[in-house]
Amino acid sequence: MVRSSTYSDIPRICEILSELHQISKYAGYQINMRQFKELCMESIRSGNNCLFVYEENGSVEGFLIGIIDNLYHVLREKYASDLFFCKSLTAKGDATGLMAAFLEWAKSQPGVVSIRMGATDVVSDYNKVSKLYDRCGMIQEGVLYEMRIEQ
């Protein structure tokens, strides 16, 4: 089941983020959990963000935080995108419901003319999520490059 998040979901959402962070390529960096909790709270109460959760047997097992911003930060038209699109390591189902809820929300937002989603290898192979995006009717518009700087 997918639904809009409530404040009481935030502790479980934080657990999922921590769990995935431990196996991510950024595991050596510390999460600012206070800042993440503030993002969750803002996403619940804001008209510019959304926070959907995916439940299995009454337990939150995934979440998606979406945002709206001006295209290229200078156009009046807006785009919707994800900041976090996460599923717990123990979740049995797929993320199709989260994606569907996000797409419905994004399409209903005034001024939104584009939906942009990222697929990276931060936690795992990005091909699975790319296939989900394909199934949802999205098209690839480019690629993402990264240069890590060791400190």
Side-chain angles (χ1 to χ4, degrees):
M1 176 179 107
V2 174
R3 61 174 173 77
S4 294
S5 181
T6 64
Y7 296 115
S8 64
D9 297 320
I10 293 175
R12 177 63 181 140
I13 292 167
C14 290
E15 286 176 9
I16 294 169
L17 180 68
S18 294
E19 170 185 277
L20 295 174
H21 180 68
Q22 290 174 16
I23 63 167
S24 81
K25 68 182 185 179
Y26 297 118
Y29 304 119
Q30 185 174 354
I31 297 173
N32 183 335
M33 201 54 78
R34 181 173 163 238
Q35 187 175 0
F36 180 71
K37 287 176 183 177
E38 288 173 6
L39 172 64
C40 290
M41 289 186 289
E42 176 63 20
S43 297
I44 291 169
R45 71 176 167 256
S46 169
N48 287 333
N49 295 11
C50 67
L51 176 51
F52 294 105
V53 294
Y54 163 68
E55 286 185 329
E56 288 180 355
N57 300 318
S59 173
V60 171
E61 295 300 329
F63 67 94
L64 189 151
I65 297 176
I67 61 162
I68 293 175
D69 199 357
N70 292 73
L71 272 170
Y72 300 105
H73 301 284
V74 296
L75 298 177
R76 287 188 183 126
E77 292 76 15
K78 310 237 183 244
Y79 76 99
S81 187
D82 64 321
L83 291 180
F84 291 91
F85 188 3
C86 302
K87 191 174 80 162
S88 76
L89 296 174
T90 57
K92 306 261 187 286
D94 67 17
T96 303
L98 277 172
M99 186 66 184
F102 172 73
L103 291 175
E104 183 179 325
W105 172 81
K107 290 175 183 178
S108 74
Q109 299 305 300
V112 170
V113 299
S114 176
I115 299 171
R116 297 177 159 190
M117 303 294 285
T120 68
D121 67 347
V122 171
V123 173
S124 63
D125 180 17
Y126 61 87
N127 286 306
K128 283 174 78 173
V129 74
S130 292
K131 290 176 184 173
L132 171 62
Y133 295 160
D134 288 340
R135 286 194 313 271
C136 291
M138 301 192 79
I139 57 170
Q140 184 178 345
E141 72 167 356
V143 295
L144 185 66
Y145 292 89
E146 177 183 44
M147 178 186 291
R148 301 230 6 231
I149 301 168
E150 299 301 322
Q151 297 184 5

